[in-house]
Amino acid sequence: MQIKYWIVGLVALCSVVSCNKENTTKKDDVKTVPVLLVKEKDTLVSNQFVTDIQAKKNIEIHSRMSGLMQQIYAHEGQFVKQGQLLFKINDSELQIDLLKADASLKQAQADVRIAEVEVSQLQSLFNKNFVAKNELDMMKAKLTAAQAKRAYADAERKSVLQKLSFTNIRAPFDGVIDVIPFKEGSLVENGSLLTTLSYLDQIYAYFSIPENLYFEFQKTDKLNNANKIELVLPNGAKYDFNGVLKTAEGEIDQATGSIRYKVDFPNPDHLIKHGTSGKLVLSDFQPNAIIIPQKATFSIQDKVYVFVVDQQNKVKMKNITIGNTFRDSYMIDGGLKSGDRIVLEGTQSLRDGQTIRIKS
C-alpha cells in the first residue's frame, strides 16, 4: 500500500515539474523587440539623376577659305558679342580678283550700253522703213548677249565679294570663345576648325529616365508637378538657381531603354561651362505620407512584408506596397495606415501569430 502511494506521489511530482518546464519554455519563447508607431507626415520627396550639362548654343566655327591667318582678334575664354570680328584670313589675292571682276563688270556694262544705243537707232530707222527687220533682230540679239555677259560679270564679282567676306570670321551670337588652335601666320585650310563658341546665358541639363520609371512618372504626372528642380555641382554645392523642365525627346532610345529630358537653368554669371557634369534633384511635395525604415521590412517571393502588432501584442504578416525608395527607408503606397504598430527590428526571428514583448 505504501508503495502505491509512493508511485502516485512520484507521478504527481513529475507532472508539476513538466508543467513548470512548459511554462518556462513558453515564457522564454516571447521575444522582446522594438515597435514603431506608424504616423503620417508631409514630406518632400526627391529623386536624383545624373546630368550632362550643355550650353544652350554651342557651335564649332570653321574656316570657309584657305589662306594665312593674318590676325586673331579674340583670345581663349573671352566673352564676345554677336557680330564681333574674331579672325582675319589674308585676302590679298582676293583683292586682285576683285579688281579684275570690277573691270570685267564695267566692260560688260559698257557693251550693254552700246548695244542699247544701236538697237534704239535701228528701231528708229526700221520704223521709217530704212532698214530690214532681220537687221534689227540681229542687233537685239547682240544686246541680249551683252546683257548676259554683264550678268555673268556681276555674278563673278559677287562671288569674289562673298569669298572676301569669308576671310572675316565674326561671332554669330554672344558667347565665350573656346580653344584657338591656330596662331597668326598659320596656314588655314578650307574647313579648318578655328574655335568653338558657347552661349552660356542659359544652360540645359540633360538627364535620362528608364522606360519603366517614365511610365510611372507619366501616370502620376510627377515630372511636371515637381515643386523644385535643383542642380548639384561636381563639388557637392547646390547651384543658386532652380531649373524649369522642358520637353522630352520624341522616342525611347532602344539601345538604353530610356528617354531623355532637359532642364533649363539661367546662367547669368557664366559659372557653369559647356560639358559640366552634376546631379539633378527633382523634389515633389507629398502630403500625409507614410515612411518606414527599410529594416522593418522583409521580402518573400518578390513581395515586401512587415509584422503588424495588434492590441494583444501578437504579430501578423502584412503585405505592403512601396512607393518611393530612399537611402534607408520606404514611402508606403498601401498596406499601412496611421496608428498601426509594426516591428522595427528582429523580424527574421519572428513567426506569424507569435506574441511579443515590446521593448521600451
Side-chain angles (χ1 to χ4, degrees):
M1 192 69 176
Q2 288 182 348
I3 293 174
K4 182 178 179 181
Y5 287 137
W6 275 104
I7 292 173
V8 171
L10 183 60
V11 170
L13 181 62
C14 289
S15 298
V16 171
V17 172
S18 176
C19 287
N20 286 338
K21 283 185 179 180
E22 186 177 349
N23 290 336
T24 301
T25 302
K26 286 184 179 180
K27 188 175 180 180
D28 291 342
D29 245 2
V30 178
K31 305 288 186 182
T32 302
V33 292
V35 171
L36 175 68
L37 179 64
V38 175
K39 296 181 180 179
E40 293 179 346
K41 61 179 180 179
D42 296 342
T43 305
L44 196 65
V45 179
S46 297
N47 292 281
Q48 289 194 4
F49 300 93
V50 176
T51 183
D52 168 35
I53 299 174
Q54 298 181 16
K56 184 177 181 180
K57 289 187 282 188
N58 179 262
I59 64 165
E60 294 179 342
I61 297 178
H62 292 263
S63 169
R64 299 182 67 179
M65 284 295 300
S66 299
L68 295 177
M69 180 64 72
Q70 180 175 318
Q71 189 76 39
I72 298 176
Y73 297 97
H75 57 79
E76 296 171 344
Q78 178 183 349
F79 176 79
V80 295
K81 301 291 289 183
Q82 181 178 0
Q84 182 175 334
L85 185 61
L86 306 179
F87 305 97
K88 174 64 178 178
I89 297 175
N90 187 277
D91 61 359
S92 56
E93 293 182 4
L94 288 174
Q95 291 292 347
I96 295 173
D97 291 340
L98 180 61
L99 292 175
K100 293 178 181 179
D102 285 338
S104 297
L105 178 59
K106 288 178 181 179
Q107 179 64 53
Q109 289 171 338
D111 292 341
V112 169
R113 181 59 184 152
I114 292 171
E116 287 174 343
V117 172
E118 291 178 345
V119 168
S120 178
Q121 291 175 345
L122 284 177
Q123 183 68 54
S124 177
L125 292 173
F126 175 76
N127 293 338
K128 296 177 182 179
N129 295 322
F130 289 153
V131 296
K133 186 176 184 300
N134 61 346
E135 192 174 348
L136 177 60
D137 290 341
M138 183 70 71
M139 186 52 65
K140 286 182 177 180
K142 288 182 179 180
L143 174 59
T144 302
Q147 289 172 336
K149 288 182 179 179
R150 182 183 63 182
Y152 180 81
D154 186 50
E156 285 287 306
R157 182 178 182 276
K158 288 179 178 177
S159 176
V160 175
L161 286 174
Q162 186 179 54
K163 290 178 181 178
L164 278 169
S165 70
F166 291 161
T167 64
N168 297 307
I169 296 95
R170 301 181 181 274
F173 51 80
D174 296 353
V176 177
I177 294 290
D178 199 7
V179 175
I180 300 175
F182 290 96
K183 307 300 179 186
E184 292 178 2
S186 301
L187 177 62
V188 177
E189 298 293 340
N190 187 2
S192 296
L193 175 62
L194 301 180
T195 189
T196 303
L197 183 66
S198 299
Y199 177 80
L200 294 175
D201 286 1
Q202 285 179 289
I203 55 168
Y204 289 142
Y206 290 89
F207 67 102
S208 296
I209 297 177
E211 186 177 0
N212 59 335
L213 194 58
Y214 164 75
F215 285 107
E216 181 181 332
F217 282 175
Q218 288 297 311
K219 183 174 63 177
T220 60
D221 205 20
K222 187 173 292 186
L223 283 176
N224 293 324
N225 291 333
N227 294 77
K228 186 167 57 173
I229 304 178
E230 297 175 300
L231 175 62
V232 179
L233 300 176
N235 63 350
K238 285 188 177 180
Y239 186 49
D240 293 337
F241 300 94
N242 292 335
V244 178
L245 186 70
K246 296 295 183 179
T247 54
E249 291 180 341
E251 58 185 34
I252 291 176
D253 189 336
Q254 296 297 319
T256 62
S258 61
I259 189 167
R260 206 175 187 208
Y261 277 83
K262 68 179 178 182
V263 179
D264 187 359
F265 286 93
N267 191 31
D269 299 326
H270 301 166
L271 171 67
I272 300 179
K273 306 300 182 184
H274 179 82
T276 303
S277 61
K279 290 182 181 179
L280 283 176
V281 181
L282 279 67
S283 300
D284 180 30
F285 179 73
Q286 296 284 344
N288 304 322
I290 292 177
I291 298 178
I292 65 172
Q294 291 186 18
K295 62 183 178 181
T297 66
F298 57 97
S299 300
I300 300 176
Q301 294 181 347
D302 297 329
K303 292 185 177 181
V304 182
Y305 295 86
V306 294
F307 276 121
V308 177
V309 183
D310 64 13
Q311 296 301 318
Q312 287 73 42
N313 290 350
K314 286 186 177 181
V315 297
K316 183 177 181 180
M317 288 175 53
K318 193 165 189 181
N319 178 223
I320 59 173
T321 305
I322 305 299
N324 283 284
T325 300
F326 307 112
R327 180 179 298 177
D328 55 3
S329 58
Y330 292 131
M331 178 179 286
I332 306 303
D333 269 358
L336 289 177
K337 63 182 184 300
S338 181
D340 284 345
R341 297 186 302 169
I342 61 172
V343 175
L344 181 60
E345 292 178 350
T347 56
Q348 67 277 6
S349 63
L350 299 178
R351 64 180 183 275
D352 197 30
Q354 186 176 352
T355 301
I356 62 165
R357 184 183 298 112
I358 297 175
K359 183 177 181 181
S360 59

